[in-house]
Amino acid sequence: MKNTLGNSVAVTVFGESHGNAVGAVIDGLPAGIEVNEAFIAHQLDLRRPYGKISTPRQEADKFTIESGVFNNKTTGTPICILIPNENTKSKDYSKSYGLARPGHADFTAFSKYNGNEDYRGGGHFSGRITAGIVAAGAIAIDALNKKGIKIATHIKKCAGVEDSKFTDYNSEIDLLNKKLFAVIDDSKGEEMIKNIEKAALQKDSVGGVLETVVLGLPTGVGEPWFDSVESMLSHALFGVPAVKGIEFGCGFQCADMLGSEMNDAFYIENDIVKTKTNNNGGINGGITNGMPVTFKCAVKPTPSIAKSQETINFKTNENTDIEISGRHDPCIVHRARVVVDSITALVLCDLLAQKFGTDWLGEK
Amino acid sequence: MKNTLGNSVAVTVFGESHGNAVGAVIDGLPAGIEVNEAFIAHQLDLRRPYGKISTPRQEADKFTIESGVFNNKTTGTPICILIPNENTKSKDYSKSYGLARPGHADFTAFSKYNGNEDYRGGGHFSGRITAGIVAAGAIAIDALNKKGIKIATHIKKCAGVEDSKFTDYNSEIDLLNKKLFAVIDDSKGEEMIKNIEKAALQKDSVGGVLETVVLGLPTGVGEPWFDSVESMLSHALFGVPAVKGIEFGCGFQCADMLGSEMNDAFYIENDIVKTKTNNNGGINGGITNGMPVTFKCAVKPTPSIAKSQETINFKTNENTDIEISGRHDPCIVHRARVVVDSITALVLCDLLAQKFGTDWLGEK
Amino acid sequence: MKNTLGNSVAVTVFGESHGNAVGAVIDGLPAGIEVNEAFIAHQLDLRRPYGKISTPRQEADKFTIESGVFNNKTTGTPICILIPNENTKSKDYSKSYGLARPGHADFTAFSKYNGNEDYRGGGHFSGRITAGIVAAGAIAIDALNKKGIKIATHIKKCAGVEDSKFTDYNSEIDLLNKKLFAVIDDSKGEEMIKNIEKAALQKDSVGGVLETVVLGLPTGVGEPWFDSVESMLSHALFGVPAVKGIEFGCGFQCADMLGSEMNDAFYIENDIVKTKTNNNGGINGGITNGMPVTFKCAVKPTPSIAKSQETINFKTNENTDIEISGRHDPCIVHRARVVVDSITALVLCDLLAQKFGTDWLGEK
Amino acid sequence: MKNTLGNSVAVTVFGESHGNAVGAVIDGLPAGIEVNEAFIAHQLDLRRPYGKISTPRQEADKFTIESGVFNNKTTGTPICILIPNENTKSKDYSKSYGLARPGHADFTAFSKYNGNEDYRGGGHFSGRITAGIVAAGAIAIDALNKKGIKIATHIKKCAGVEDSKFTDYNSEIDLLNKKLFAVIDDSKGEEMIKNIEKAALQKDSVGGVLETVVLGLPTGVGEPWFDSVESMLSHALFGVPAVKGIEFGCGFQCADMLGSEMNDAFYIENDIVKTKTNNNGGINGGITNGMPVTFKCAVKPTPSIAKSQETINFKTNENTDIEISGRHDPCIVHRARVVVDSITALVLCDLLAQKFGTDWLGEK
């Protein structure tokens, strides 16, 4: 439903890059979940620009909770979180209206909204909208954690550098969730950052791949066909304009495998059903099998680059060139990581509420 | 919504592999669309087993339209299509209940439905359910064609063999849609088939990648964030249990590209806005930009293989081995292709109905 | 969603009066509910024409369960129930196409579907579609009964005659649910029937009021604002074309009461919260308070009457007269009663699944 | 969906009586609708307390538009409207927590949210939440007006006094929409006000009936069965906790009419199809027939009264008495009228967007 995600637990996002505020309304979270404002702030910090490799637009991301929280707990009714926009330099943008930034939604928004779109800074298509998602997701992550469900995402690949693989989910997840630049191997992270800086100097940008793992989900979550775990997660994650691919488990590699390689052999250990491999990413027939749920998202290089590009002016209907002069990120992969975690948490709360009822997440 | 896909145009699937029938109800298609039963039959034929590389379970897939069609035209009210199951050998399956076929939904279904699932032949998780989707999709494809919107899918990769790339969408699409084994280069198709047969002899199975292209979509289709074209298509396509990855445009390759390489430069030619490359797969910010919409699906190797595999018996809670003896496909990639086309058509009808209203598709 | 009702438990109806079949798909009922085919048949019998006061179109309403039931229990996946149409005399209708039966949907269907509607016997707007709802509802009623939740509807008023009021819900509910003509006081029922017969002789028809009571609902069911119990029930019940009014508790009488009269005083008895009166029909702020949920539906007189009426021919665009000659009910109030019960049960299953999770209804 | 209403055009409400703010997010309104802030303020004024017959809690209802409006026009993306709460005296309420106000949602909210509800002033169940609906509805009303669709509601009955009937919709609608106390006959209004004041003096409250008429809807709006115009409107209107009954056209009177009286005879005049009576309230089979859509809502007397009432303390589990001392309305019927108009407008925008597409309302 357009800007609303979910059924039993639903999130509605609103806002534009240079409007009054961005934010989100979360409906359907059960009553009695503790709301930790410090954790929300921490998660927003993970999304904020980072050192030299990010946009100089620095905002404190102060948020207010307008409803749905009372005595620091969820009331069970809709939670509206508002994050006012500050430090907006709208004049940067108004002059260039009509110039379609390649890879961006300027032209499609113009086409869809007949010239009524808020074009400043990408308007409603700006990555800034994800701040509302992250704030909402923080409450969901907190609630899941209390149920023993953990989520973490690392930068699997960025600017041509690959991070190490997970070796021990449990310990690495906790470490990752504290890091500003979420790599398992920090030396790989430093290489990535160097390459990002290099691309920035060349007025260019880089992309990457994020890998996410979810631990602690019970078996039997998800529905066959159109509410499969894959359907629900991909629907939500492809909402982020920069995501161009999603794969679960071994994903596209399955095309080169034999059935006997791809199939994950079941076994029972201490009365718990497990699989020897996890090529299916913890999901069989759309439903969790108790193994870690794993998936990867391809994040494209930031479309806003300073390099001169060919494009059109859709107001004058002319071919022309563009040099984007505003403040931009040479890479958003590291910032997108907390967005992926947040969206994942919100989708899982929805699926769990469908299975166990609205109250389940709130139970002690 | 579980087994229902879509909003303005919605499809509900039902049925089990060895129950009375499988089928679908399509609601929201406008009145006045001609229903071509021969085309529905043709599409079902594309899904049916093919020569030696498919299951020996051969069904005519005779269907009946129970409602929603009058004088060979849609009435605007729900269309129920029923495809009775024939040639079911349920005894093959009842003996093995409890043995979790690796890579299949046996165990997750048992876990989710507490032992009440129809386990015969995979029950509701069987690929057989896609017959209903294909029948429903045929009407949608027909309607889109009349509006100048064409869809085609080819087997980009299968059993280690790569098909040629598209060189001319328009002509190749028409050819592909007539082929039983949908490759651009038939010699590559023959290689694939040989390799599939080889895998079958080794009691094994193979996977592949399907590539889909949609021509003729107007600009401005899709919504920002959670009804993005990518969100809607991936949600629907990940409903198919064998699909483990989806990427739009250049997809995961974007991780290794610079922004200046990934961005698709706009230009105007004969008053039409185009892009020089199409790395974004015709979608910017979730909304169509008028270029062909392109995406790829990773289809895993059929999990049912004759080779002996380690697994559990979830009824007795024991570790054991399994040799699956029924009738199975060593490959479903070629059969899945028409399922992808059908799902794509149904999703596009939904998005178009949201934008232009329910009546648009039915207009002359 | 058009012909789909519900979220966690959803019912999709399809069919036309003179098509192949009518039916319904129910999705989201938990696995393990016993499916009693005799009870489904019994409920369909309650909906069928009754003696002289009904249409001479008599159908056995034989149904088939095409999916979702295995070993006489729900599997948790979609249940498709099909009820073939028999004894259809389509020729009665084709001649009169263009003549808008007053009070009927002929003209609005023509206007909406641009002349593609299946006009025979009212097509998709026929009361016959409720057969699918009743069959689906029977499974829901059964499941609710096992949870101690009982529903009954009596003909509060019909053809100018008022039934007695409930004096003891528990005993009267069981009696009512066995009666073909659902009145508390059978002598009042006989009067009603006499008056219906009288109207039939005068080529006319009568309406009435149905009163429904639901016992055994836990407190806390329903959501504030747009998933209130009143919202959900009225949405579903106004789907029936003959229903023109719905009121909960004392309903429209509240307009003439003082707050001190209308308010239901709470008290505690044996640790159970009750109210001294039940003017609010068991619902405060959209949420159940543990008292019986009560509501009334106004059912209009059957629009199809034999009496000559003024109308238009929308094909020729002329004013004209109409004498409807087919087989029609002089009253549908008594037949609508089981439809109201069925819809109520389906809505309650949905609300309960939202609160307690999909599995709750299936638990022992 | 809980606190979200609608599909193509969706409204999400949030807020509590004594929280930071109440508000609404409207998604799906097309781009290019002029947003008249003065009209929003005017509509909020109609909802605000009125003279001596209302609560002394007087708030300016200053609102801010946080998103979705640019250059005074809708952008096509979500509009978040925020109305900060002022003048809240929370101490009035905290002392009395546990005392269930009869007729109010205190007990059901406690039961549903396990004691985590924001109980101050009724929290999320407060009529204050309707301020967000009215602000959102103002934009919808404005958009409909530009399409020639007019809505008006008058106080048909209040405090034992009946207003006159409509004699000429067109002129009366315009007058009504300017009046603070919406009666056709102002002398009847004065009587009502006297009676309300009388009830207030007796520490009591009164209810009433609101009658709404919609002019200018095209034929063919609405869907059969579960998106019928009656279904959609009743679903939305029963969201308001004070509404206990809804009837369309002649409503419950139909129970006492013959088919020949109830049926609305069609005729053609100047090429336009009309009906001689309008007992069906402009709706046949759930779909508009071009006549005015008319319906009535029963609004119960305000449950908060100063008179002593029997009740329980649900915290201590004791029977007790309550005298509600806060600031309350002896009547909310006159204030509810603009809420009904607003909800009606939002539902109609949704139905029209479903039929004609998202863009239709925004077109010139």
Side-chain angles (χ1 to χ4, degrees):
Chain A
M1 245 176 70
K2 295 187 177 78
N3 294 280
T4 298
L5 175 74
N7 300 288
S8 291
V9 175
V11 187
T12 302
V13 297
F14 58 85
E16 288 87 31
S17 180
H18 288 59
N20 261 21
V22 300
V25 181
I26 323 141
D27 192 12
L29 280 181
I33 298 177
E34 257 179 73
V35 175
N36 183 340
E37 299 209 2
F39 183 66
I40 299 175
H42 168 257
Q43 293 293 95
L44 284 169
D45 280 348
L46 294 184
R47 199 203 70 91
R48 284 176 55 213
Y50 173 82
K52 278 187 285 185
I53 62 170
S54 295
T55 168
R57 175 177 173 181
Q58 301 276 357
E59 304 189 37
D61 280 343
K62 280 178 204 148
F63 62 92
T64 55
I65 299 179
E66 299 293 327
S67 66
V69 175
F70 183 50
N71 295 333
N72 293 317
K73 285 188 178 172
T74 57
T75 58
T77 53
I79 302 167
C80 177
I81 304 181
L82 209 69
I83 307 171
N85 287 324
E86 303 168 6
N87 192 8
T88 54
K89 298 197 183 168
S90 297
K91 280 173 201 161
D92 290 354
Y93 295 95
S94 57
K95 280 180 271 179
S96 56
Y97 181 58
L99 285 176
R101 290 172 298 165
H104 236 296
D106 299 335
F107 169 66
T108 53
F110 169 78
S111 162
K112 182 171 184 63
Y113 303 119
N114 303 313
N116 297 295
E117 71 279 8
D118 182 346
Y119 50 77
R120 299 168 299 168
H124 187 59
F125 295 83
S126 163
R128 175 124 188 93
I129 286 19
T130 59
I133 295 175
V134 168
I139 303 176
I141 288 170
D142 230 357
L144 291 172
N145 285 347
K146 267 158 205 155
K147 286 289 184 181
I149 299 164
K150 284 186 191 180
I151 302 168
T153 297
H154 78 119
I155 305 166
K156 187 170 179 54
K157 195 204 264 187
C158 184
V161 181
E162 288 244 9
D163 191 17
S164 304
K165 299 193 177 197
F166 280 106
T167 50
D168 177 57
Y169 283 139
N170 265 301
S171 60
E172 284 158 348
I173 277 181
D174 291 338
L175 282 174
L176 278 171
N177 283 334
K178 286 177 195 141
K179 292 186 185 179
L180 270 173
F181 197 89
V183 283
I184 296 171
D185 181 341
D186 289 333
S187 69
K188 297 293 181 185
E190 283 163 36
E191 277 186 62
M192 292 177 189
I193 292 172
K194 255 182 223 155
N195 287 1
I196 298 170
E197 289 171 347
K198 209 186 297 172
L201 281 174
Q202 290 162 353
K203 302 185 173 185
D204 218 324
S205 64
V206 298
V209 173
L210 292 170
E211 182 179 33
T212 303
V213 61
V214 185
L215 298 188
L217 278 178
T219 62
V221 176
E223 299 284 336
W225 302 95
F226 306 119
D227 278 0
S228 77
V229 176
E230 292 114 324
S231 287
M232 298 294 276
L233 283 171
S234 67
H235 185 132
L237 292 162
F238 272 124
V240 180
V243 173
K244 295 305 279 188
I246 292 177
E247 56 181 13
F248 291 84
C250 71
F252 277 87
Q253 283 180 36
C254 75
D256 295 319
M257 293 163 83
L258 293 168
S260 56
E261 294 165 331
M262 173 74 189
N263 283 346
D264 302 307
F266 289 103
Y267 68 103
I268 300 178
E269 195 176 61
N270 300 327
D271 284 328
I272 296 170
V273 173
K274 298 182 180 175
T275 62
K276 298 206 166 173
T277 49
N278 192 16
N279 292 317
N280 286 281
I283 305 166
N284 294 134
I287 297 171
T288 55
N289 64 14
M291 292 297 288
V293 167
T294 63
F295 57 89
K296 303 190 198 78
C297 295
V299 179
K300 72 175 184 176
T302 331
S304 295
I305 55 174
K307 228 174 204 173
S308 177
Q309 298 177 84
E310 292 176 86
T311 192
I312 56 164
N313 184 319
F314 52 74
K315 273 179 66 187
T316 60
N317 248 11
E318 288 170 322
N319 290 310
T320 179
D321 288 326
I322 185 169
E323 281 172 48
I324 304 172
S325 57
R327 305 161 297 174
H328 302 291
D329 296 85
C331 178
I332 55 158
V333 181
H334 54 292
R335 297 179 63 190
R337 149 271 193 129
V338 69
V339 179
V340 169
D341 284 345
S342 301
I343 289 177
T344 302
L346 290 162
V347 169
L348 293 177
C349 283
D350 186 24
L351 282 169
L352 289 162
Q354 282 185 42
K355 181 169 177 59
F356 295 116
T358 305
D359 296 345
W360 183 77
L361 273 179
E363 280 169 23
K364 288 122 220 167
Chain B
M1 245 177 69
K2 295 187 177 77
N3 295 280
T4 297
L5 175 73
N7 300 290
S8 291
V9 174
V11 187
T12 302
V13 297
F14 59 85
E16 288 87 32
S17 180
H18 288 60
N20 262 20
V22 300
V25 180
I26 323 141
D27 193 12
L29 280 181
I33 299 177
E34 255 180 75
V35 175
N36 183 341
E37 299 209 3
F39 183 66
I40 300 175
H42 167 258
Q43 294 293 94
L44 284 169
D45 280 348
L46 295 184
R47 199 203 71 90
R48 283 176 56 213
Y50 172 84
K52 279 186 285 184
I53 61 169
S54 296
T55 169
R57 176 178 174 180
Q58 302 275 356
E59 304 188 38
D61 282 341
K62 281 176 202 150
F63 62 91
T64 55
I65 298 179
E66 298 293 327
S67 66
V69 176
F70 183 51
N71 294 334
N72 293 317
K73 285 190 178 171
T74 57
T75 58
T77 55
I79 302 166
C80 176
I81 305 182
L82 209 71
I83 308 170
N85 287 324
E86 301 169 7
N87 192 7
T88 55
K89 297 195 183 170
S90 297
K91 281 174 199 162
D92 290 355
Y93 295 96
S94 57
K95 281 180 272 181
S96 57
Y97 181 57
L99 285 176
R101 291 172 298 165
H104 237 294
D106 299 335
F107 169 66
T108 53
F110 169 78
S111 163
K112 181 172 184 63
Y113 302 119
N114 304 311
N116 296 294
E117 71 279 8
D118 182 347
Y119 50 77
R120 299 168 300 169
H124 186 59
F125 296 83
S126 164
R128 175 125 188 92
I129 289 10
T130 59
I133 295 176
V134 168
I139 303 176
I141 288 170
D142 230 357
L144 291 172
N145 285 347
K146 265 158 208 157
K147 286 287 184 183
I149 299 164
K150 284 186 190 180
I151 303 168
T153 297
H154 77 119
I155 306 167
K156 186 171 180 55
K157 195 204 264 189
C158 184
V161 181
E162 290 244 9
D163 190 16
S164 304
K165 299 192 177 198
F166 280 107
T167 50
D168 177 58
Y169 283 139
N170 264 303
S171 61
E172 284 158 348
I173 277 182
D174 291 339
L175 282 173
L176 278 171
N177 283 334
K178 286 176 195 142
K179 293 185 184 180
L180 270 172
F181 197 88
V183 284
I184 295 171
D185 180 342
D186 289 333
S187 69
K188 297 294 181 182
E190 282 162 37
E191 276 186 62
M192 291 176 191
I193 291 172
K194 258 183 219 154
N195 287 2
I196 298 170
E197 288 171 347
K198 209 185 297 172
L201 281 174
Q202 290 162 352
K203 303 184 173 185
D204 218 323
S205 63
V206 297
V209 173
L210 292 170
E211 183 179 33
T212 303
V213 62
V214 184
L215 298 188
L217 277 178
T219 62
V221 176
E223 298 283 337
W225 303 95
F226 306 119
D227 278 1
S228 77
V229 175
E230 292 115 323
S231 287
M232 298 294 275
L233 283 171
S234 68
H235 185 131
L237 292 162
F238 271 124
V240 180
V243 173
K244 296 304 280 188
I246 292 177
E247 55 181 13
F248 291 84
C250 70
F252 277 87
Q253 283 181 36
C254 75
D256 295 318
M257 292 163 83
L258 293 168
S260 56
E261 295 165 330
M262 174 73 190
N263 283 347
D264 301 309
F266 288 104
Y267 68 104
I268 299 178
E269 195 177 61
N270 301 326
D271 282 328
I272 296 170
V273 173
K274 298 182 180 175
T275 61
K276 298 206 166 173
T277 49
N278 191 17
N279 293 316
N280 285 282
I283 305 165
N284 294 134
I287 296 171
T288 55
N289 65 14
M291 292 296 289
V293 167
T294 63
F295 57 90
K296 302 189 197 78
C297 295
V299 180
K300 72 175 186 177
T302 332
S304 296
I305 56 175
K307 228 175 205 172
S308 177
Q309 299 177 84
E310 294 176 84
T311 192
I312 57 164
N313 184 318
F314 52 73
K315 273 179 65 187
T316 60
N317 247 11
E318 288 170 323
N319 291 310
T320 180
D321 289 326
I322 186 169
E323 283 173 46
I324 304 172
S325 57
R327 305 161 298 174
H328 302 292
D329 296 84
C331 179
I332 55 159
V333 180
H334 54 294
R335 298 179 63 190
R337 150 268 194 133
V338 69
V339 178
V340 169
D341 284 345
S342 301
I343 289 177
T344 302
L346 290 162
V347 170
L348 293 177
C349 284
D350 187 23
L351 283 169
L352 289 162
Q354 282 185 42
K355 180 167 177 62
F356 295 117
T358 307
D359 296 344
W360 183 76
L361 272 178
E363 280 169 22
K364 287 120 222 168
Chain C
M1 245 177 68
K2 294 187 177 77
N3 294 279
T4 297
L5 176 73
N7 300 288
S8 292
V9 175
V11 187
T12 302
V13 297
F14 59 85
E16 289 86 31
S17 180
H18 288 60
N20 261 20
V22 300
V25 180
I26 322 141
D27 192 12
L29 280 180
I33 299 177
E34 257 180 74
V35 174
N36 183 339
E37 299 209 3
F39 182 66
I40 299 174
H42 168 257
Q43 293 293 94
L44 284 169
D45 280 349
L46 294 184
R47 198 203 71 90
R48 283 175 55 212
Y50 173 83
K52 279 186 287 184
I53 61 169
S54 295
T55 168
R57 176 178 173 179
Q58 302 276 354
E59 304 189 38
D61 282 342
K62 279 177 204 149
F63 61 93
T64 56
I65 298 179
E66 298 294 327
S67 67
V69 175
F70 183 51
N71 295 333
N72 294 316
K73 285 189 177 171
T74 56
T75 59
T77 53
I79 302 166
C80 175
I81 305 181
L82 209 70
I83 308 170
N85 287 323
E86 302 169 6
N87 193 6
T88 53
K89 299 194 184 170
S90 297
K91 281 174 199 161
D92 290 355
Y93 295 95
S94 57
K95 280 180 274 180
S96 56
Y97 181 57
L99 285 175
R101 290 170 299 165
H104 237 294
D106 300 335
F107 169 66
T108 53
F110 169 78
S111 161
K112 182 172 182 64
Y113 302 119
N114 303 312
N116 296 295
E117 71 279 8
D118 182 346
Y119 50 77
R120 299 167 300 168
H124 187 59
F125 296 83
S126 164
R128 175 123 189 94
I129 285 21
T130 59
I133 295 175
V134 168
I139 302 175
I141 288 170
D142 230 357
L144 291 172
N145 285 348
K146 265 157 207 157
K147 286 288 184 184
I149 298 164
K150 284 185 190 181
I151 302 168
T153 297
H154 78 119
I155 305 167
K156 186 170 179 54
K157 195 204 263 189
C158 184
V161 181
E162 289 243 10
D163 190 17
S164 304
K165 300 192 176 200
F166 280 106
T167 51
D168 176 58
Y169 282 139
N170 265 303
S171 61
E172 283 157 349
I173 276 182
D174 291 338
L175 282 174
L176 278 171
N177 283 334
K178 286 178 196 141
K179 292 185 184 180
L180 271 173
F181 197 89
V183 284
I184 296 170
D185 181 341
D186 288 333
S187 68
K188 297 295 183 182
E190 283 164 35
E191 276 186 63
M192 291 176 189
I193 291 172
K194 256 184 223 153
N195 287 2
I196 298 171
E197 289 172 345
K198 209 185 296 171
L201 281 175
Q202 290 161 354
K203 303 185 173 185
D204 218 324
S205 64
V206 297
V209 173
L210 292 170
E211 182 179 34
T212 303
V213 61
V214 184
L215 298 187
L217 277 178
T219 61
V221 176
E223 299 284 337
W225 303 96
F226 307 118
D227 279 1
S228 77
V229 175
E230 292 114 323
S231 286
M232 298 293 275
L233 283 171
S234 68
H235 185 132
L237 292 162
F238 271 124
V240 180
V243 173
K244 296 304 280 189
I246 292 178
E247 56 181 13
F248 291 84
C250 71
F252 277 87
Q253 282 181 36
C254 76
D256 295 318
M257 293 163 82
L258 292 167
S260 56
E261 295 165 330
M262 174 72 189
N263 283 346
D264 301 309
F266 288 104
Y267 69 103
I268 299 177
E269 195 177 61
N270 301 327
D271 284 328
I272 297 169
V273 172
K274 298 181 180 174
T275 61
K276 298 207 166 171
T277 49
N278 191 17
N279 292 318
N280 286 282
I283 305 165
N284 294 134
I287 296 171
T288 55
N289 65 13
M291 293 295 290
V293 167
T294 63
F295 57 89
K296 302 189 198 79
C297 295
V299 180
K300 72 174 186 177
T302 331
S304 295
I305 56 175
K307 228 175 205 173
S308 177
Q309 299 176 82
E310 294 176 86
T311 191
I312 57 164
N313 184 318
F314 52 73
K315 274 178 65 187
T316 60
N317 247 11
E318 288 171 323
N319 291 310
T320 179
D321 288 327
I322 186 170
E323 281 173 48
I324 304 172
S325 57
R327 305 159 300 173
H328 302 291
D329 296 85
C331 179
I332 54 157
V333 181
H334 54 292
R335 297 178 64 189
R337 149 270 193 133
V338 69
V339 178
V340 169
D341 284 345
S342 301
I343 289 177
T344 302
L346 290 163
V347 169
L348 292 176
C349 283
D350 187 24
L351 282 169
L352 289 163
Q354 282 185 41
K355 181 169 177 59
F356 295 116
T358 306
D359 296 345
W360 183 77
L361 272 178
E363 281 169 21
K364 288 120 223 170
Chain D
M1 246 176 70
K2 295 187 177 78
N3 295 281
T4 297
L5 175 73
N7 300 290
S8 292
V9 175
V11 187
T12 301
V13 296
F14 59 84
E16 288 87 30
S17 180
H18 288 59
N20 261 21
V22 300
V25 181
I26 323 141
D27 192 14
L29 280 180
I33 299 177
E34 257 180 73
V35 175
N36 182 340
E37 298 209 4
F39 183 65
I40 299 175
H42 168 258
Q43 293 294 94
L44 284 168
D45 280 348
L46 295 184
R47 199 203 71 91
R48 282 176 55 213
Y50 173 82
K52 278 187 286 185
I53 61 169
S54 295
T55 169
R57 175 179 174 179
Q58 302 276 354
E59 304 189 37
D61 281 342
K62 280 176 203 151
F63 62 93
T64 55
I65 298 179
E66 299 292 328
S67 67
V69 175
F70 183 51
N71 295 333
N72 294 318
K73 285 189 178 173
T74 56
T75 58
T77 54
I79 302 166
C80 177
I81 304 181
L82 209 71
I83 308 170
N85 287 324
E86 302 168 6
N87 193 5
T88 55
K89 298 195 183 169
S90 297
K91 280 174 200 161
D92 291 354
Y93 295 95
S94 58
K95 281 180 272 180
S96 56
Y97 181 58
L99 286 176
R101 290 171 298 164
H104 237 295
D106 300 335
F107 169 66
T108 53
F110 169 78
S111 162
K112 182 171 184 63
Y113 301 118
N114 303 312
N116 296 295
E117 71 277 9
D118 182 346
Y119 50 78
R120 298 169 299 169
H124 186 59
F125 296 83
S126 163
R128 174 123 190 93
I129 286 21
T130 58
I133 296 176
V134 168
I139 303 176
I141 288 170
D142 230 357
L144 291 172
N145 285 347
K146 266 157 206 157
K147 285 288 184 183
I149 298 165
K150 285 185 190 182
I151 303 169
T153 297
H154 78 119
I155 306 166
K156 187 172 178 52
K157 195 204 263 187
C158 183
V161 181
E162 290 243 10
D163 190 18
S164 305
K165 298 191 179 201
F166 280 106
T167 50
D168 177 58
Y169 283 139
N170 264 303
S171 61
E172 283 158 349
I173 276 182
D174 291 339
L175 281 173
L176 278 171
N177 283 335
K178 286 178 195 142
K179 292 186 185 180
L180 271 173
F181 197 89
V183 283
I184 296 171
D185 180 341
D186 288 333
S187 69
K188 296 295 180 182
E190 282 163 35
E191 276 186 63
M192 290 177 191
I193 291 172
K194 257 184 220 153
N195 286 3
I196 298 171
E197 288 172 346
K198 210 186 293 171
L201 282 174
Q202 289 161 354
K203 303 184 173 184
D204 219 324
S205 64
V206 297
V209 173
L210 292 170
E211 182 179 35
T212 303
V213 62
V214 184
L215 298 187
L217 278 178
T219 62
V221 176
E223 298 284 337
W225 302 96
F226 306 119
D227 278 1
S228 77
V229 175
E230 292 114 324
S231 287
M232 298 294 275
L233 283 170
S234 68
H235 186 130
L237 292 162
F238 271 124
V240 180
V243 173
K244 296 304 280 188
I246 292 177
E247 55 182 14
F248 291 84
C250 70
F252 277 86
Q253 283 181 37
C254 76
D256 295 318
M257 293 163 83
L258 292 169
S260 56
E261 295 165 331
M262 175 71 190
N263 284 347
D264 301 309
F266 288 103
Y267 69 103
I268 298 177
E269 196 177 60
N270 301 326
D271 282 327
I272 296 169
V273 172
K274 298 182 180 175
T275 61
K276 298 206 165 171
T277 50
N278 191 16
N279 292 317
N280 286 282
I283 305 166
N284 293 134
I287 296 170
T288 55
N289 65 14
M291 292 295 290
V293 167
T294 64
F295 57 88
K296 302 189 197 80
C297 296
V299 180
K300 73 175 185 176
T302 331
S304 295
I305 55 175
K307 228 176 206 173
S308 176
Q309 299 177 84
E310 293 176 87
T311 191
I312 57 164
N313 184 318
F314 52 73
K315 274 179 64 187
T316 60
N317 249 11
E318 288 171 325
N319 290 310
T320 180
D321 289 327
I322 187 170
E323 281 173 48
I324 304 172
S325 57
R327 304 160 299 173
H328 301 291
D329 296 85
C331 179
I332 54 158
V333 180
H334 53 293
R335 298 180 62 191
R337 149 270 193 132
V338 68
V339 178
V340 169
D341 283 345
S342 301
I343 289 176
T344 302
L346 290 162
V347 169
L348 293 177
C349 283
D350 187 24
L351 283 168
L352 289 163
Q354 282 185 42
K355 182 169 176 59
F356 295 116
T358 306
D359 295 345
W360 184 76
L361 272 178
E363 282 168 21
K364 288 121 220 167

